Amino acid sequence: MIDIAGWAPEPQETTEVIDAAPSVALAGLLDAAPPGDELPPLWQWLHFLERPAQRELGPDGHPREGRFLPPIPERRRMFAGGRFRVREPLRVADAVTRRTELVSTAVKQGRSGEMLFVTVRHTFSRDGTEVAVEEQDLVYRSGGEASRPAEVSFEAPEVKAPWTLPVTADPVMLFRFSALTYNAHRIHYDEAYATEVEGHGGLVVHGPLLAILCLEPPRRAGLKVNEVSFRARRPVYARQPFVAAGSPDGTLSIEAPGVTAMTATFA
């Protein structure tokens, strides 16, 4: 039974000068032109990174302990979704302060047992003025026997939408995104671990990468996005063809073989 009684982490603040290099690197990964001095929404995930010592990592590659990591045994983490609102864009050479705080927790019963839903808020400020707010929804469960790996289809989905961006995330892309975000979770690079320990159908495409790809069609169409909300619904695996689809009406999605893997809205 998940028990987090007494877990109430204090807010934490970190200040960083925004460097251009991570955005240039991500643009290369996406085969796109660099965005210039303004960070596109969600590209702040390349900044304010935690860099724990090797000895601090657990068997899954995640840190064993952390201020906003719940104290539950054999913790497994899933990226569920989030929201981001921009008042003014984060810019290269800005000194930005990020304040992180726990917003809510809820224990729910799922198909695989009890799950802990956690929402964490990041507030970004420049010269003492709030410029953007992000909320991340994360799901944790205690480890146990892996479920049987899912059957994975590699048939390209047929998608009809005003915007379509076909993508196939191979292991090289996953490795590069893990490096850019300093993400050591083994489900993204260790196929035996992903399938045999966590029960996935292959290497897992990062939820944040899917969310960034959701916003690529409006970004490439030249639209300014001030708000985005997204929800992860199904995993996407390496080598599966998928489509980042959307419309100027504000709807976006990741369409994978046979499933909608992520839905999003923007304004």
Side-chain angles (χ1 to χ4, degrees):
M1 182 175 180
I2 293 177
D3 182 7
I4 56 168
W7 182 57
E10 292 294 320
Q12 182 180 49
E13 289 192 355
T14 306
T15 299
E16 178 177 318
V17 176
I18 303 300
D19 183 17
S23 290
V24 172
L26 179 58
L29 184 151
L30 300 177
D31 284 326
D37 290 339
E38 295 185 359
L39 295 192
L42 305 185
W43 288 40
Q44 77 277 0
W45 289 336
L46 307 181
H47 302 271
F48 304 96
L49 303 178
E50 295 183 1
R51 297 179 175 88
Q54 191 72 12
R55 65 180 179 274
E56 297 172 352
L57 302 181
D60 63 353
H62 275 311
R64 284 188 298 268
E65 298 178 357
R67 182 172 296 192
F68 297 99
L69 295 175
I72 60 177
E74 298 181 322
R75 179 182 56 235
R76 292 186 184 168
R77 177 183 183 274
M78 294 173 284
F79 183 84
R83 295 151 296 284
F84 187 60
R85 182 179 73 253
V86 184
R87 292 183 176 177
E88 294 183 22
L90 278 64
R91 299 184 178 89
V92 171
D94 280 351
V96 176
T97 297
R98 185 186 74 174
R99 176 183 170 86
T100 301
E101 57 191 324
L102 181 67
V103 175
S104 66
T105 62
V107 177
K108 300 181 181 180
Q109 189 71 31
R111 288 177 296 178
S112 59
E114 282 190 334
M115 298 185 294
L116 173 64
F117 288 76
V118 175
T119 297
V120 175
R121 179 183 297 133
H122 302 297
T123 302
F124 300 87
S125 301
R126 180 176 53 228
D127 297 327
T129 300
E130 178 184 302
V131 294
V133 177
E134 173 192 356
E135 288 187 349
Q136 285 190 10
D137 300 325
L138 305 167
V139 181
Y140 297 91
R141 64 181 178 89
S142 292
E145 292 296 322
S147 58
R148 184 177 178 180
E151 293 291 332
V152 178
S153 171
F154 295 94
E155 184 177 348
E158 294 185 9
V159 179
K160 293 183 179 179
W163 296 328
T164 56
L165 176 63
V167 183
T168 300
D170 63 11
V172 175
M173 178 181 282
L174 302 190
F175 170 83
R176 295 179 73 191
F177 192 77
S178 287
L180 277 173
T181 54
Y182 216 82
N183 184 343
H185 195 180
R186 290 169 64 183
I187 61 172
H188 304 306
Y189 61 86
D190 185 339
E191 190 157 6
Y193 175 87
T195 57
E196 297 170 14
V197 178
E198 298 214 10
H200 287 289
L203 294 177
V204 180
V205 180
H206 310 68
L209 177 55
L210 295 178
I212 287 171
L213 284 166
C214 264
L215 284 176
E216 276 299 281
R219 187 177 82 87
R220 296 184 186 193
L223 272 66
K224 183 177 181 180
V225 173
N226 297 310
E227 293 186 30
V228 60
S229 176
F230 54 93
R231 180 181 177 188
R233 297 181 178 274
R234 294 287 189 276
V236 177
Y237 297 113
R239 306 183 185 89
Q240 277 192 301
F242 62 92
V243 176
S247 168
D249 67 5
T251 59
L252 304 166
S253 66
I254 297 293
E255 302 295 334
V259 299
T260 296
M262 180 174 284
T263 55
T265 59
F266 75 93

